[in-house]
Amino acid sequence: DAFSEASRVALASLNLAATACDTRVVFSALRVMSSLEVLDISGNAISFDGARELVELINVSTSLCALFVSGCSLDGDSTGNIVAALAANTNLRRVCLDVSFNDLKFYGAQKVAEAIRGWGSLHTLNVSDNALTGPGIALIVESIASCPALVAFSCSGNAKSGKDAAAAIDEIAKLVLRPSALRTLQVCGRAGSTLGANVVTLFRALASNLSLFHLDVSGNAFGDDGMSAF
C-alpha cells in the first residue's frame, strides 16, 4: 500500500487532482497525516463511502485549511456532510473550500446553506457550476451573511440565462450591499448561464460598496448596455 507509511510523512500540501485514485482508500490513509493543511482531490469521483471517509478525515484533522473537491461527482447530501464536518471542527482556521463542478442543484444548495450558517472560520467558498438556480443561490447568500471571515466567494455558472439569472443577481447584489469582509467576488458566465443586462443590478450595488477589491464577471455578454451602468 503506497499510503501505509503516511504517518511518517510530514506533508503540508497534497495535490492528487485527476489521478483516478480510489478516494475512499486515500482518505482513510490520510487520517494519520496530522501535518496536512491543503488537500486537492479534484477530478476524482468520490462515492458515498468515500465521502464518509473524507468526513472522518476532517473530524480528526487539526490543521486542514484548504480542501478542493471540484468535479468529484458529489451530490447534495455528501457535500452537505463534508461542509458540516469542516464547520464543526473548531481546530480549523481560515478554511478555503472548493466544491465547484459537482451535482448540488437546489437540494445541495439547501444542504450547503445549512452547513455554513454561522461558520466563523470560512475564508473562501467556491460553489460554481452546480446548477444551484436563483433560489439556491439566495439560500447560500443568506447564510453567507453569518460568516464574518469570508473574504472570497465564487458562484459562476449557476443560473440559467433570463429570469433565473435576474433572480440570482438580485441576491448577489444584496450580498454586495451588506457590510462584510468580502473582498473577492466571482460570478462568471457560461454557455446558457449568462447574466446579460441583469449585471446592471450588481454594478449599481457596487456604488455602495467600498470594501470589494476584486470582481470577475467575465463571459456574461452584457455588452455596452451593461457597461453603461458601471
Side-chain angles (χ1 to χ4, degrees):
D1 190 319
F3 284 93
S4 60
E5 300 299 322
S7 62
R8 299 183 183 181
V9 179
L11 290 177
S13 177
L14 179 61
N15 189 339
L16 294 172
T19 52
C21 61
D22 186 333
T23 55
R24 181 184 61 82
V25 173
V26 170
F27 297 144
S28 178
L30 291 179
R31 285 190 218 171
V32 296
M33 194 180 292
S34 59
S35 60
L36 193 63
E37 298 177 4
V38 179
L39 175 61
D40 190 345
I41 201 78
S42 299
N44 296 289
I46 299 178
S47 65
F48 177 77
D49 288 339
R52 287 198 304 182
E53 289 292 343
L54 177 53
V55 167
E56 290 302 316
L57 168 61
I58 293 168
N59 288 341
V60 300
S61 176
T62 58
S63 55
L64 189 67
C65 60
L67 177 63
F68 301 90
V69 287
S70 176
C72 290
S73 302
L74 290 167
D75 62 14
D77 284 318
S78 292
T79 304
N81 291 338
I82 291 166
V83 178
L86 286 165
N89 188 332
T90 56
N91 293 310
L92 309 184
R93 297 285 184 269
R94 292 172 60 85
V95 177
C96 171
L97 176 61
D98 182 353
V99 295
S100 61
F101 289 97
N102 281 296
D103 192 29
L104 303 189
K105 301 180 181 176
F106 176 72
Y107 176 75
Q110 290 177 295
K111 293 295 182 179
V112 170
E114 291 170 7
I116 66 173
R117 190 171 295 121
W119 185 3
S121 299
L122 180 59
H123 182 268
T124 303
L125 178 64
N126 187 346
V127 294
S128 297
D129 298 281
N130 273 296
L132 301 180
T133 72
I137 292 169
L139 292 175
I140 291 178
V141 166
E142 182 181 359
S143 289
I144 281 176
S146 64
C147 300
L150 187 73
V151 300
F153 179 52
S154 297
C155 191
S156 302
N158 274 310
K160 294 180 181 179
S161 301
K163 291 182 179 180
D164 194 42
I169 205 64
D170 282 347
E171 298 303 325
I172 293 170
K174 291 176 185 177
L175 175 64
V176 170
L177 287 169
R178 293 189 191 117
S180 71
L182 194 67
R183 299 293 179 268
T184 299
L185 176 62
Q186 186 178 49
V187 196
C188 300
R190 307 280 193 256
S193 177
T194 60
L195 298 177
N198 296 304
V199 77
V200 169
T201 303
L202 176 58
F203 287 164
R204 287 173 178 163
L206 287 173
S208 301
N209 185 303
L210 300 178
S211 60
L212 193 69
F213 294 159
H214 308 285
L215 175 65
D216 186 352
V217 289
S218 57
N220 277 299
F222 45 76
D224 291 340
D225 289 342
M227 286 305 302
S228 65
F230 193 73

